[in-house]
Amino acid sequence: MSGEPEKSYCFKVENKFIVKSGSKKRMWRSLKQILTADRTLPWPDDAVLYYSINAPPSFKPTKKYSDISGLPAPYIDRHSKLYYSNAEEFATVRNLPMDITAGYLQLRGASTIVG
Amino acid sequence: MDSVLVLKDYKTVPDIVHEYSPTLKYGNIPLVIDNGSYQCRVGWSISDEPLLIFKNVIARPRKDRCKKDAEPPVTPPIQIGNDILNIEAVRFQLKTQFDKNVVTHFEVQEQVCDYIFSHLGIDNEGSVPHPVVMTEAFVTPNYSRQLMSELLFEGYGVPAVSYGIDSLFSFYRNDIGDSGLIVNCGYHTIHIIPVIRGNVIAEHARRINLGGSEIICYLHKLLQLKYPVHVNAITMTRIEEILHEHCSIALDYQEEIRKWVNPDYYEANVIRVQLPFVQNTTSSGLTAEQQKERKKEMARRLLEINARKREERLVEDEEQLNQLLTLQDLIEDGNTHEFNEAIKSFDIKSYADLQRQISNLHIRIEKNKQRIAAAGNPEESVESRPNVNNSRSALQPPTDPAEFQTWLEETRAKYREISGRREARRARRAAMVKRRTAAAAERMRRLLELEEALREAAELMFQPSMLGNMEAGLAETMEYVFKHFSPEDQLLLANNVFVTGGCSRFPDWNESCWR
């Protein structure tokens, strides 16, 4: 790279310990990869691991809230798939540009490729 | 709440290098590092408060590529934590050593450690001579812990390391007792950890993968969708501020939102936020002088273009006139047949038509010539100003007393008229200025109404389904955890719920948990 003066600290023996200067960029495992690797190790049955304490899936029915106002939404616009709670909101929903409706759906985690 | 909220846009202050006193240096004092995924706090075990508190992020600015090849690329310094004065400017270059709540990127961690030790003023040669107490995520994977130990022992020569869970430390420090249920709301996760008679029941602890960062993101996106005009003004930092200072948890979400349907309730409780007004500086960096110059230049060029056009038209017309004249010559010579052939190509019907066209052309050419002459010396065209009759004699008051009186009256009337006109002119100009700045209008428009968005944001913790997350919410998970205990133990836990972590600072926390 360039010969920039690197800061050096007197309390360190090697200036760059983890990734030595000039060496190739090291790829770090993501948490997901670490967990997958963790899973393959032989663990005793009662071991508590990172992935084993995930919260249980929700058993309650999900409540629907209007995407525009946050009010309880009994209706869904078949066209844009947005939730709305009253006629006034329906008019707004119908007038929203595509990118905004897509944004709302994405925010709700409802934008799937299959649609 | 009628008042409009003005964002404060907090600025960070770069950390100073703290004094490394001999007591610290030779006392083998343990160093406590609360390595959280939002903030890192560092302090000596002998003091009550941490010395360093900074956001656990680094910004590595990109190299300037556009510079010439002659000079070597300058690597801008890496900014860490509080060094980053304007976090929005480097938002896309931010890096953190965390993936969720676990440290995975140890190159960044090393840089953060450098920052920590250097700002504590440690000047020992070759090693950091202090035992380190470091917090980590609940049930951190061994892989991550191993790399952290490697970094601390081998990179810094630390004599000893002890890892611990931040919420358990907090449980202990706050003297909660030996049994209780810890609810730790963090930046990326929420942990629910039961402690019974001094033992952590790890197998029944649960983690919800949702935290402050998700809430901030949600609020950020939601407000940007609601106010697409202000996309750039709605920054993460501002959202964070709004969330930290104005967010609250609804005791009963369903009932709360029912209240908001009522417009009166809405008006009375809505929080309006004023986005900081930014003068639009994109217009140009030119001074008024330069702009005037430019305008003049443009006007001159326009004149030139017009003049050229006129010349061209003149030449064209003259050419056509010549052709028509030759046609006329033809008929005058008695060459009727040739004339008839020729006029077909000129789209002329008869001799009279030809005559008319010729005279028209004459008139046009004459006019054009006049115009060119006028454009040549524009001063002439400007109406010479009527000479203002302000010779000295007019100002001399007449000597006759009667005449003097009328003169005085007239002069006064004139004065009044002139000053009145001036006032009117000034008023008009002031009005124009007011209208022009558009700042006033803009200010009115830059209001955000934060009604339900805030409540929605906080409610995410209880209903992750609002984000498309299929995990159970906080209350449901707590219920789930409770189910694993005997009734006596349930009572022990329920009597002692300890809520900790950044997100737990929302008002009304405890009440809402119990519903």
Side-chain angles (χ1 to χ4, degrees):
Chain A
M1 303 237 278
S2 55
E4 82 260 26
E6 277 173 13
K7 254 199 238 171
S8 60
Y9 302 100
C10 64
F11 49 79
K12 286 174 93 175
V13 183
E14 282 171 278
N15 190 31
K16 284 193 172 176
F17 170 73
I18 288 285
V19 176
K20 314 275 189 284
S21 301
S23 69
K24 248 170 92 181
K25 207 175 165 189
R26 181 167 168 181
M27 293 305 290
W28 297 99
R29 285 193 203 175
S30 71
L31 180 60
K32 214 170 170 184
Q33 288 169 313
I34 294 173
L35 294 184
T36 322
D38 224 23
R39 224 178 252 264
T40 58
L41 298 174
W43 293 102
D45 287 343
D46 58 346
V48 179
L49 300 169
Y50 189 87
Y51 58 81
S52 66
I53 63 160
N54 272 325
S58 182
F59 293 109
K60 290 181 179 160
T62 56
K63 296 196 176 74
K64 292 184 179 68
Y65 299 103
S66 161
D67 286 298
I68 4 185
S69 68
L71 302 175
Y75 315 111
I76 179 168
D77 173 26
R78 302 186 67 82
H79 183 68
S80 64
K81 307 271 188 293
L82 288 183
Y83 296 141
Y84 63 96
S85 64
N86 54 37
E88 203 180 314
E89 280 179 21
F90 180 65
T92 325
V93 164
R94 274 297 159 99
N95 285 325
L96 285 177
M98 281 279 283
D99 54 336
I100 303 281
T101 54
Y104 276 124
L105 286 178
Q106 199 194 4
L107 191 60
R108 175 146 57 82
S111 60
T112 51
I113 308 153
V114 192
Chain B
M1 230 182 276
D2 224 4
S3 59
V4 170
L5 234 134
V6 177
L7 293 176
K8 297 181 193 82
D9 276 344
Y10 291 115
K11 289 272 176 278
T12 52
V13 183
D15 281 320
I16 53 159
V17 172
H18 291 274
E19 197 198 347
Y20 188 49
S21 63
T23 348
L24 293 172
K25 188 167 181 176
Y26 303 110
N28 200 28
I29 307 290
L31 182 59
V32 184
I33 303 175
D34 180 0
N35 199 26
S37 57
Y38 175 60
Q39 273 184 338
C40 183
R41 302 161 201 222
V42 184
W44 300 104
S45 65
I46 48 170
S47 48
D48 284 336
E49 295 293 321
L51 280 179
L52 303 171
I53 299 178
F54 57 90
K55 282 192 182 162
N56 226 336
V57 287
I58 71 169
R60 191 181 293 140
R62 272 169 298 176
K63 281 172 201 157
D64 282 335
R65 289 226 184 82
C66 51
K67 289 258 179 73
K68 283 172 203 133
D69 296 328
E71 43 191 309
V74 188
T75 317
I78 292 169
Q79 297 172 308
I80 300 172
N82 289 337
D83 288 347
I84 307 168
L85 293 184
N86 184 4
I87 206 160
E88 287 311 323
V90 291
R91 176 65 69 191
F92 298 108
Q93 288 134 33
L94 284 186
K95 281 206 167 165
T96 170
Q97 66 268 47
F98 286 89
D99 184 351
K100 289 266 177 62
N101 58 344
V102 176
V103 181
T104 58
H105 201 299
F106 283 87
E107 195 183 345
V108 177
Q109 183 62 56
E110 184 179 6
Q111 276 152 351
V112 171
C113 286
D114 286 349
Y115 179 89
I116 292 171
F117 296 136
S118 59
H119 279 81
L120 288 174
I122 292 172
D123 57 3
N124 189 46
E125 207 59 50
S127 73
V128 176
H130 300 278
V132 169
V133 178
M134 196 177 230
T135 63
E136 58 169 22
F138 190 63
V139 288
T140 298
N142 281 343
Y143 176 81
S144 165
R145 195 178 293 153
Q146 171 213 328
L147 283 170
M148 181 67 89
S149 306
E150 195 181 317
L151 172 65
L152 289 174
F153 284 127
E154 293 176 28
Y156 297 97
V158 170
V161 178
S162 168
Y163 296 108
I165 315 296
D166 46 357
S167 54
L168 293 179
F169 282 154
S170 178
F171 188 76
Y172 178 74
R173 178 76 173 80
N174 286 290
D175 218 2
I176 301 298
D178 65 349
S179 299
L181 186 71
I182 301 171
V183 178
N184 179 23
C185 305
Y187 192 54
H188 284 103
T189 52
I190 300 173
H191 279 101
I192 298 166
I193 305 172
V195 181
I196 289 191
R197 285 175 283 275
N199 288 317
V200 174
I201 316 296
E203 64 267 31
H204 294 317
R206 282 294 174 269
R207 177 192 61 240
I208 303 169
N209 293 303
L210 185 148
S213 70
E214 279 79 14
I215 297 178
I216 291 171
C217 251
Y218 180 83
L219 196 56
H220 183 229
K221 279 193 208 149
L222 185 68
L223 287 179
Q224 282 192 333
L225 284 170
K226 270 185 205 279
Y227 302 96
V229 193
H230 304 315
V231 164
N232 293 324
I234 302 172
T235 60
M236 290 285 226
T237 329
R238 287 179 185 150
I239 296 296
E240 215 176 288
E241 186 192 321
I242 291 173
L243 192 72
H244 286 171
E245 304 200 346
H246 310 294
C247 209
S248 63
I249 290 176
L251 293 185
D252 182 339
Y253 191 64
Q254 301 304 325
E255 202 194 307
E256 187 78 8
I257 49 179
R258 236 169 282 132
K259 273 195 240 162
W260 282 89
V261 179
N262 181 353
D264 293 334
Y265 184 83
Y266 180 97
E267 270 310 309
N269 289 283
V270 71
I271 301 174
R272 291 196 172 84
V273 172
Q274 167 87 67
L275 286 173
F277 176 69
V278 201
Q279 195 78 45
N280 202 358
T281 48
T282 49
S283 57
S284 68
L286 294 175
T287 60
E289 219 34 25
Q290 278 169 310
Q291 275 176 347
K292 221 186 253 174
E293 263 317 288
R294 201 166 272 193
K295 254 186 203 163
K296 254 190 208 164
E297 177 75 7
M298 292 271 269
R300 205 176 49 76
R301 232 176 269 167
L302 250 166
L303 277 179
E304 268 177 26
I305 290 169
N306 277 344
R308 210 178 310 135
K309 265 191 192 157
R310 264 188 228 121
E311 298 264 350
E312 276 167 16
R313 205 174 305 146
L314 188 66
V315 170
E316 236 171 67
D317 285 352
E318 272 172 351
E319 213 167 278
Q320 209 183 349
L321 183 66
N322 280 339
Q323 282 170 343
L324 293 183
L325 283 176
T326 49
L327 278 182
Q328 204 178 14
D329 286 347
L330 276 178
I331 203 160
E332 270 158 19
D333 293 349
N335 228 336
T336 330
H337 179 69
E338 261 181 58
F339 172 76
N340 281 339
E341 285 292 299
I343 60 171
K344 265 182 204 158
S345 64
F346 276 94
D347 201 21
I348 294 168
K349 283 162 205 121
S350 64
Y351 179 68
D353 203 11
L354 176 70
Q355 296 265 310
R356 208 175 50 241
Q357 287 214 4
I358 288 174
S359 64
N360 272 352
L361 269 176
H362 267 301
I363 294 167
R364 227 156 70 196
I365 289 169
E366 204 43 49
K367 254 190 197 163
N368 238 336
K369 271 184 182 162
Q370 272 175 10
R371 261 194 227 139
I372 288 170
N377 38 354
E379 290 91 290
E380 227 171 85
S381 64
V382 176
E383 212 180 308
S384 66
R385 271 190 152 176
N387 259 335
V388 186
N389 194 10
N390 59 352
S391 54
R392 194 138 303 176
S393 63
L395 293 175
Q396 286 289 326
T399 39
D400 182 63
E403 248 180 80
F404 178 77
Q405 273 308 317
T406 50
W407 177 85
L408 198 63
E409 286 301 309
E410 271 171 31
T411 316
R412 277 193 182 142
K414 249 192 237 165
Y415 172 75
R416 269 197 297 276
E417 194 193 334
I418 290 172
S419 61
R421 264 206 308 240
R422 196 176 56 187
E423 283 306 310
R425 212 161 46 225
R426 273 191 189 155
R428 206 167 48 230
R429 200 174 301 149
M432 282 299 279
V433 165
K434 234 183 235 164
R435 191 143 24 115
R436 280 260 187 79
T437 50
E442 185 65 17
R443 255 179 225 122
M444 286 307 292
R445 275 189 279 129
R446 294 179 80 83
L447 284 177
L448 300 184
E449 295 197 346
L450 286 178
E451 359 84 36
E452 78 294 334
L454 282 176
R455 244 156 314 281
E456 247 175 73
E459 188 66 15
L460 284 179
M461 291 201 286
F462 296 89
Q463 298 184 42
S465 61
M466 287 161 77
L467 263 174
N469 189 334
M470 280 304 132
E471 282 179 357
L474 182 47
E476 202 183 338
T477 310
M478 280 169 77
E479 215 180 296
Y480 178 86
V481 170
F482 274 127
K483 267 191 269 173
H484 288 88
F485 292 94
S486 63
E488 306 89 74
D489 284 351
Q490 272 183 17
L491 208 66
L492 270 180
L493 294 175
N495 281 337
N496 226 348
V497 175
F498 175 58
V499 183
T500 177
C503 293
S504 62
R505 284 187 299 179
F506 299 141
D508 299 335
W509 220 108
N510 296 331
E511 291 86 339
S512 65
C513 267
W514 287 114
R515 302 225 167 202

